[in-house]
Every structure is written in C-alpha cells, then in structure tokens.
Amino acid sequence: MPKDHGIGASTKRREDVRFLTGKGRYTDDINIRGQAYVHFLRSDVAHGKINAVGTSEAETAPGVLRVFTGKDFEGVGGIPCGWQITDRQGNPMQEPAHPVLAQGKVRHVGDPIAAVVAETYEQARDAAEKINLDITELPAVMNMKAALEDGAPKVHDDLTSNLCYDWGFIEDNREAVDQAIKSAHHVTTLELVNQRLVANPMEPRVAIGDYASYSDESTLYTTSQNPHVIRLLMGAFVLGIPEHKLRVVAPDVGGGFGSKIFHYAEEAFCTFAAKQLKCPVKWTSSRSEAFMTDAHGRDHVTRIELALDAEGNFQAIRTETYANMGAYLSTFSTSVPTYLHGTLMAGNYKTPNIYVNVKAVFSNTVPVDAYRGAGRPEATFQLERVIDKAAREMGIDPVEIRRKNFVTEFPYATPVAVEYDTGDYNATMDKALEIADWDGFDARAAESAKKGLWRGRGINTYIEACGIAPSALVGQLGARAGLYESATVRVNATGGLVVMTGSHSHGQGHETAFPQVIAEMIGIDESMVEIVHGDTANTPMGMGTYGSRSLAVGGSAMVRATEKIIAKAKKIAAHLMEAAPEDVELKDGQFSIAGTDKSVAWGDVCLAAYVPHNYPLEELEPGLEETAFYDPANFTYPAGAYICEVEVDPDTGKVRIDRFAAADDFGNVVNPMIVEGQVHGGLAQGIGQALLEGCAYDDSGQLISGSYMDYAMPRADDVPSYSVDHSCQTPCTHNPLGVKGCGEAGAIGSPPAVVNAVVDALQRNGKDVTHIDMPLSPSRVWAAMNG
C-alpha cells in the first residue's frame, strides 16, 4: 500500500491552495505607501560609445522625482562575479567592471543607460523618451571565434582581448588524452552547438527598494532564488551597506530556472534610489525587458572527439568548447562551462582519459549564466550525441555500446576529479527499455509508415552532479561563497514547529516536502510543521535554491537541526520520567522508556521546555530551538536513461514526439508526486530546447527573438504523455536522507534523446544525416533530409 503521510507519500502540495485560489503573494503584489516607479532607458545598439546623456528635459517632465545616469554611480561598486576561474597558465580570468548604469560605453542591446523615477510608471516611461542620447555606434562583437582574432573590436577596452579565460581540465591529462586519440582504433568527431536560450519564468523580475531613515535600514523586495546571497553581494560589494542594515525579502516567486539566482543591476538601483529619494522605488520588468535583461543560458560551440578500441570500449574524450559570456560576467557565469560542465564529461562511463578545454568569450550580447541544469545539459548533449554517432560508425547497437562502457563498481573516481558514490546504470537502462516497450518499436514504425511518416527512436543516459559542494573544495576552485545550507527549527510550547530555512521555494514544493521529513522524524502530523523562507530578517544565512540542492543540502540541514531538537527533548523527557536520557525512545510522537509502561507525549515535553518546573535549569536551559548548518561532503549524483520516439513528416520536416520514457535514479524519494512533476517540467524544457527554442541575434547585435512572436516556447501539444519511473533507487551515501536531487534531470537527459531519435528516423529512411543542430525546426530537418 502506498504511504499516506511522511517520507515516501505523495502528499498534495499545501502551497497550491493559495496559488490556485489567487492568494499567492508575489513581489509585484507588494505596494508600499508613497512608492515611486522607475523606468530604465536601455540601449538600442549592441555596442557604442556614450558621448552625452541629456536629461534636462526629462527632469522637468510631470511627476519626475529624479533622473539617474552612470555618473550617479561612479563611486558605487559594480555587479560582482561570484566565481573566479584560473586559466591553463595559472592566471586569473579577465574580469571587467559591470556598472549599475552604463558608464562610457553600452555593451549589449538592453544595457541600462539612465533611470527615470517618477510618481507613476507612465510618467517615468514618458519622461524617458525626452532623454537625449548621443551614442557613437561601434562594430558589434557577435561571433565567438571571430572575437578572438587579432584586431577584433573589444567589448571592454581595458581588457587585453575578448577572452575571459582559456581553461584546461585536467591539464595534466592532456598529453595522455592526445596520445590515446592518436593511437586509437577509431575516433568519432562531432561539431555541435548548444544554442542560447531564454529562461522565461512565468513571473518576470521585480524589485522594490525601501529605506527607513529613522534607522538607516534598507529593504529590497525581489524575485530571487537566494535572498541571502543577494544581500551579501549587493550590500558588501555594490552599495556598501552593512548586512545588519540590509534586509532582502523574496516572497512567492513564480519560477526561476536559474535566471533568478543572480544579482541584477535593477535590484541595486532600486535599493540605492530609495535611499537617495527617501521613498520606496519599484520596478516591474516587462516581458520585452526580460528577453534582453534576464541572464540567458547555454550558448556553447563544441568540437568533441571520442576514441574507441576495436570492441567499442571508450579510450579517450577530448573537447574544445567556446562558451559565450555575453557582455559582462553574471554571478555564476564563469563556473557553468567549467566546473559544472567539465566535471561531468565522464558521464555514466568508465572512459580512462578525458581532457576538456573551454574558451570563455565576451560578446555584445546579454550575459549568459546558469539555466536549468547549468553545464550538465551541455556536457550530456555532446557526450551522448558523439556516442550515438560512434555506435553507427562502428556498427554497434546504441544500447550495447553504452552498457559496455558503464561504470559498474562504486565508489568510482572519474578522470575529471569527481567521485561517484553510488549508482546502477544498467538498472535504469533496463527500466527505460521496459517502460518504453523497446521491443515493440518495429510494429509502431510500420504503423507510422502507413501514414507516410518516418519513425525513429533515440536513447541516452545521463548523470548530473547536484548540491555543488563541499565549500572548502569549491573555494579552492574559485567560488567566492560557501555552498552550505542552514535551518533553524523552533518548537512552540504546544508542540508545533516553525522551520526557518536558507533554501528558497519557487515551485519546488518545499512547504510540503520538508514537513514530511520532519514530521516523520518526530512522529507528528505534517500540519504541525510550518516552513518559513525568503526573508533574511527571520531565516539563518543560507545559499538558496539551485543545482537541485534543496532537499540534499537544505533538507539535510533540517535533519541535523531536528536531531538536536530530539536529543534535547529526550533529556527533558528523561527528567519527567525519572530515567536516563539514553534509555528514552521517540516513536509516533511519544517518548517512552524501553521495557516499561512509562511514556510522555511530544506536546507535554514541548510545554515543559518552556515551563521548566520539572527539570533542573542548571543542567538544561529552557526552550527548544536549534540551528544547523550542513556542508555536504560530496556532490550527489542522480542518473538515468531516457528513450524518445518521434515521427517525422518527410514532406515538411515536422517532428512530433510520440512517446517518451524516463527512468531516473534519485536515491530516496520523499514525495513521489512532486518528483514526477519536476521530471515532467524538465522534460518539457528539454524538448523545448531540442525542437523549438532558440535566442537569435543578427550580425549587428540586435535581438531578433525578443518576444513570444519570435521565440517559440513549448505548448501542451508539443509534448507527449510521458512514461516516468523512479523506482531504481541507490541512496546517496553521504547525506542523512539518502536523496540525490531531481529538479534538473528532465532538462539534462531529454535534448540528446530527441535529437538521437530524429537522426535515427532519417537514417532508417536512407538519409545520410549524422547531426542536426538544435532547435530541430521543420526547416532544419527538411534541409538535412534534402542535402
């Protein structure tokens, strides 16, 4: 029988009650008495020298309180980057300034030049049209390889070139990899593009700055995945506000997918302007602004080589990637193509020699940073595509070539500096084949042929690293922040609990899953546990939510804090029952002494903690509240196998996904319903990348996919009814819950499965097509079919 409560139960999401009834409280729902509104005047050219910004006419427009330009921020810090990369020669990366408002030059379409604050948004917008700009347009830097040529225009004049860093991983492996490839029986080479994407969360970004002059305290309300990180970056590095004088609040957030991790200029501006004007200042992004200001994702161009012996055993992998940074370094942009990408190039396989080279390049485009999966999808896509191509070239079945090379013994130390603690890749492969009805493919292909359609199938396996830890290690690799998580558990006198966490929920279901864990530990009803997050004033310092870390890292912090609570509660119960604490057991909300009929209820112990009449205060202080910080010993490593079947219309190139099977190993699962929903969402995003989405610029740097008229998002009829399974569970060995993380898996494993399936359909019908770059639009597929 399925469980109806606690760990392993598909408890309905309690937060959905307020969301589905329109009672969610998002940042744009917050309005502070006397607030003003800001409109940003943004660059309409990709690259240009600012000669003058004439604001006199705008300053006298109705309702205008002040017009700000880059000059107002000359003594203010710039937006910082949170991860320093060291290049192949041991030199630090080139790190340009990122001003709140443009100073001297504009570097991408959408770069903010001036900001008008007025009594109403309409007044601010109208006044911005009265600003006179004198900008000399400069040649735009758009092509990454051309950007590194001698004489190329420079995005930042104070840098030596447009190269941010040239990173090699692991540099000591390079000679062995080169030799293995040189002497290999067979080498498969593939050049591919992982196209630029726009995250497009349902809720656009919003920022509201407020200032209390009586206490000299600033508050920022913002759409953030990690409010404590924003407080640290903005307070310490940008505006110079002591942390005890700065509060950051992230209420309900309508999706993030990575794009709301980062500190943005608009947040700093609203906080700064509120203090300058002594009134709240609010900004709400339009969807058009979001397209040209939210950090974009992916944008890699890669050449990958896979060396094999005569039996199809992998001997070596060598990759060269050009990674687009955009015009500035976003918060974690530099880590995505390096330590979140290079460390996953082993995949599920025991390849003995691997070398990864990444050249990070500045261009006149929106900055690029983490997007659902962040480096892991890029690694998986190139690896699984080249494996499929190698299987065809060598005449080996795509399932068998993978099985032949699977890691089967754990722990396993990869040649790219990570250690997989546990997994069973054959089990997830077996389950994927089962739920996909692999053996029934030929019959389905025959039915498709009767309709004049070409059916193909694609398979791939993936592994990802979640949790991003431990802090000591990532600090050595250049991270400028710790990557632990925190929790404070406060027990009320009547037995209810308030759990304050540094993790942040923006769709993950924390308010449901976290109570399932704590309630099971104590043996009480989940309704007695309340989760508090998103406000730096009443939560412990934490790193927020990204990288599928909330349960593995944040949940583990809660477990550690709750263990402290239980340990203290047992001491109180021991006094009440006149027993030794080590003899006290807690089960189903009752403390008892083994072998006796003595017991005391959880609620009675909690009351005694705050009304300490029955235990000696010199031994045990009153109250029942504990805090824990959890810093993982290692990444967690979810893994899985995905199978996609498509039908291709040979007349138009239109691709329809008919079936999709996903078998994942997430370790222990707290709420199967939430996990399934996370996988469904990730699959939809991955399918969107494979077939539909693509952020495009023209040669002059104009964003030509700046609205939903030109940027295709997946809709309900673009995705099939998925077959999803997560019964293959190999628990993580180093966190107390045995969980691994599930939020990004679908977006990592689905793009190569889709592309492999389309290529398979074409090859089964006599077309010599080895690769098509995403998105696989009808025009691209038709062109590939027709040479």
Side-chain angles (χ1 to χ4, degrees):
M1 288 285 293
K3 293 183 68 174
D4 60 3
H5 66 278
I7 295 175
S10 289
T11 305
K12 290 184 179 179
R13 293 181 9 141
R14 64 169 72 171
E15 50 268 69
D16 285 350
V17 174
R18 72 175 185 274
F19 294 145
L20 294 173
T21 56
K23 294 183 173 63
R25 186 172 184 262
Y26 298 90
T27 309
D28 194 51
D29 294 324
I30 299 171
N31 291 290
I32 305 171
R33 185 175 180 180
Q35 76 185 12
Y37 299 81
V38 60
H39 177 83
F40 291 96
L41 178 65
R42 301 184 182 277
S43 176
D44 60 2
V45 300
H47 196 194
K49 179 178 180 295
I50 301 173
N51 301 313
V53 182
T55 62
S56 57
E57 189 176 354
E59 289 168 352
T60 60
V64 171
L65 303 181
R66 183 169 169 182
V67 180
F68 293 83
T69 67
K71 289 184 178 180
D72 295 295
F73 288 85
E74 287 179 349
V76 175
I79 308 301
C81 177
W83 201 301
Q84 179 177 283
I85 299 298
T86 301
D87 71 11
R88 290 168 52 199
Q89 286 74 43
N91 300 314
M93 66 188 186
Q94 295 203 91
E95 190 170 359
H98 184 180
V100 175
L101 295 177
Q103 298 173 1
K105 286 177 71 175
V106 290
R107 295 181 173 87
H108 68 88
V109 172
D111 210 357
I113 300 170
V116 180
V117 181
E119 295 172 359
T120 70
Y121 171 73
E122 291 76 15
Q123 290 172 330
R125 181 192 60 200
D126 292 345
E129 295 182 358
K130 300 179 183 296
I131 296 176
N132 294 310
L133 293 179
D134 181 2
I135 295 178
T136 301
E137 189 169 359
L138 302 171
V141 178
M142 301 305 297
N143 181 283
M144 286 189 282
K145 293 183 180 180
L148 300 183
E149 294 175 355
D150 291 341
K154 289 197 291 186
V155 177
H156 296 274
D157 296 335
D158 55 328
L159 302 186
T160 60
S161 69
N162 292 316
L163 181 67
C164 179
Y165 55 76
D166 182 358
W167 182 77
F169 192 71
I170 295 176
E171 198 64 28
D172 290 344
N173 294 354
R174 189 173 189 177
E175 186 174 338
V177 170
D178 291 346
Q179 183 57 42
I181 290 175
K182 183 178 180 180
S183 61
H185 170 78
H186 181 86
V187 177
T188 294
T189 302
L190 183 61
E191 296 187 6
L192 47 80
V193 174
N194 211 295
Q195 81 270 34
R196 180 180 287 239
L197 302 173
V198 181
N200 282 316
M202 187 179 296
E203 174 202 29
R205 288 189 297 116
V206 183
I208 307 169
D210 193 15
Y211 177 71
S213 58
Y214 63 86
S215 60
D216 190 32
E217 293 178 338
S218 295
T219 299
L220 170 68
Y221 301 90
T222 184
T223 47
S224 175
Q225 298 177 216
N226 44 0
H228 282 280
V229 174
I230 302 306
R231 183 179 69 160
L232 174 64
L233 295 177
M234 185 176 74
F237 298 102
V238 185
L239 300 181
I241 303 173
E243 282 191 272
H244 68 285
K245 293 291 185 180
L246 176 60
R247 176 189 179 198
V248 177
V249 182
D252 289 331
V253 173
F257 311 119
S259 69
K260 293 176 182 173
I261 298 172
F262 324 119
H263 178 38
Y264 288 96
E266 294 86 359
E267 295 169 322
F269 175 85
C270 289
T271 307
F272 177 84
K275 184 173 183 177
Q276 294 289 309
L277 299 174
K278 304 297 188 292
C279 72
V281 176
K282 181 175 185 177
W283 170 74
T284 300
S285 173
S286 68
R287 187 59 69 179
S288 294
E289 279 185 295
F291 270 99
M292 59 183 178
T293 63
D294 290 5
H296 292 170
R298 313 286 193 255
D299 206 351
H300 289 187
V301 177
T302 297
R303 174 186 170 89
I304 180 170
E305 296 164 283
L306 172 63
L308 307 92
D309 67 14
E311 286 74 43
N313 295 300
F314 301 165
Q315 301 298 296
I317 293 170
R318 181 171 61 197
T319 74
E320 182 185 38
T321 292
Y322 290 81
N324 203 331
M325 295 288 99
Y328 304 102
L329 296 181
S330 181
T331 307
F332 292 116
S333 59
T334 52
S335 66
V336 173
T338 52
Y339 293 111
L340 299 184
H341 159 247
T343 53
L344 270 296
M345 280 311 304
N348 307 63
Y349 312 105
K350 54 182 186 288
T351 312
N353 301 290
I354 300 175
Y355 178 74
V356 179
N357 175 239
V358 177
K359 297 176 177 64
V361 183
F362 292 109
S363 67
N364 290 121
T365 61
V366 172
V368 178
D369 210 317
Y371 170 70
R372 197 170 191 169
R376 283 71 59 89
E378 294 91 319
T380 300
F381 183 72
Q382 55 188 276
L383 183 59
E384 291 297 318
R385 282 294 301 121
V386 79
I387 289 172
D388 233 49
K389 186 169 185 272
R392 294 183 186 281
E393 290 175 352
M394 297 189 70
I396 303 174
D397 179 82
V399 174
E400 292 310 310
I401 197 172
R402 289 172 167 86
R403 287 194 191 276
K404 180 188 291 286
N405 289 282
F406 276 159
V407 174
T408 55
E409 295 182 3
F410 298 89
Y412 174 76
T414 76
V416 278
V418 294
E419 182 175 279
Y420 304 160
D421 61 328
T422 184
D424 189 342
Y425 309 144
N426 277 302
T428 50
M429 176 71 85
D430 291 341
K431 180 58 69 172
L433 295 171
E434 174 192 330
I435 62 177
D437 184 23
W438 183 263
D439 293 337
F441 174 80
D442 289 341
R444 293 189 294 274
E447 290 300 314
S448 296
K450 291 178 183 177
K451 298 182 290 183
L453 302 175
W454 297 351
R455 181 174 285 263
R457 63 183 176 185
I459 190 166
N460 76 281
T461 61
Y462 78 91
I463 188 168
E464 64 164 322
C466 301
I468 313 180
S471 294
L473 173 61
V474 297
Q476 295 172 16
L477 300 179
R480 290 166 170 167
L483 291 170
Y484 53 84
E485 198 45 82
S486 62
T488 296
V489 178
R490 177 181 298 158
V491 183
N492 298 319
T494 54
L497 291 85
V498 178
V499 181
M500 293 154 280
T501 173
S503 298
H504 187 279
S505 181
H506 41 279
Q508 290 82 1
H510 292 177
E511 293 172 42
T512 301
F514 287 158
Q516 289 179 251
V517 173
I518 294 168
E520 176 150 312
M521 292 179 68
I522 300 171
I524 58 177
D525 192 270
E526 294 156 19
S527 64
M528 296 177 66
V529 183
E530 179 186 356
I531 305 298
V532 175
H533 65 89
D535 187 341
T536 61
N538 58 23
T539 57
M541 175 71 176
M543 293 295 104
T545 294
Y546 45 84
S548 302
R549 72 193 303 269
S550 292
L551 195 57
V553 188
S556 294
M558 291 180 195
V559 169
R560 295 299 185 225
T562 304
E563 288 172 343
K564 294 180 182 181
I565 291 286
I566 293 172
K568 182 176 180 180
K570 283 183 175 181
K571 293 179 182 179
I572 299 172
H575 281 288
L576 296 178
M577 294 185 289
E578 300 179 336
E582 56 268 24
D583 294 331
V584 177
E585 298 177 346
L586 173 60
K587 184 178 181 182
D588 297 330
Q590 290 284 129
F591 294 92
S592 61
I593 307 299
T596 76
D597 59 357
K598 290 184 177 181
S599 68
V600 61
W602 166 260
D604 293 333
V605 172
C606 296
L607 182 61
Y610 291 94
V611 186
H613 294 167
N614 296 307
Y615 60 87
L617 294 177
E618 65 272 14
E619 296 180 18
L620 204 60
E621 65 184 26
L624 205 50
E625 179 174 325
E626 298 287 350
T627 295
F629 287 78
Y630 179 77
D631 201 339
N634 190 3
F635 292 100
T636 65
Y637 298 98
Y642 288 2
I643 297 172
C644 176
E645 286 189 22
V646 301
E647 289 183 325
V648 179
D649 186 334
D651 296 327
T652 66
K654 171 70 174 175
V655 175
R656 186 183 74 86
I657 298 178
D658 184 57
R659 300 163 67 92
F660 202 107
D664 297 287
D665 174 6
F666 296 134
N668 294 334
V669 172
V670 170
N671 188 310
M673 179 195 70
I674 289 177
V675 167
E676 187 168 340
Q678 288 281 343
V679 173
H680 282 198
L683 292 175
Q685 284 191 270
I687 289 169
Q689 175 174 12
L691 296 183
L692 300 161
E693 299 183 48
C695 179
Y697 286 88
D698 67 14
D699 291 341
S700 68
Q702 290 297 322
L703 180 63
I704 57 177
S705 57
S707 76
Y708 290 139
M709 295 294 290
D710 301 295
Y711 188 97
M713 295 285 286
R715 303 187 182 202
D717 61 353
D718 292 313
V719 298
S721 180
Y722 311 112
S723 298
V724 174
D725 180 271
H726 41 76
S727 64
C728 302
Q729 298 177 4
T730 59
C732 175
T733 60
H734 56 79
N735 68 53
L737 288 167
V739 297
K740 293 186 177 182
C742 68
E744 298 166 296
I748 294 170
S750 52
V754 175
V755 177
N756 287 348
V758 174
V759 171
D760 180 66
L762 271 54
Q763 292 208 351
R764 285 175 183 272
N765 287 275
K767 300 298 181 180
D768 185 20
V769 176
T770 58
H771 180 68
I772 308 173
D773 277 326
M774 300 182 292
L776 272 62
S777 62
S779 61
R780 285 188 176 186
V781 176
W782 187 91
M785 288 190 296
N786 290 279

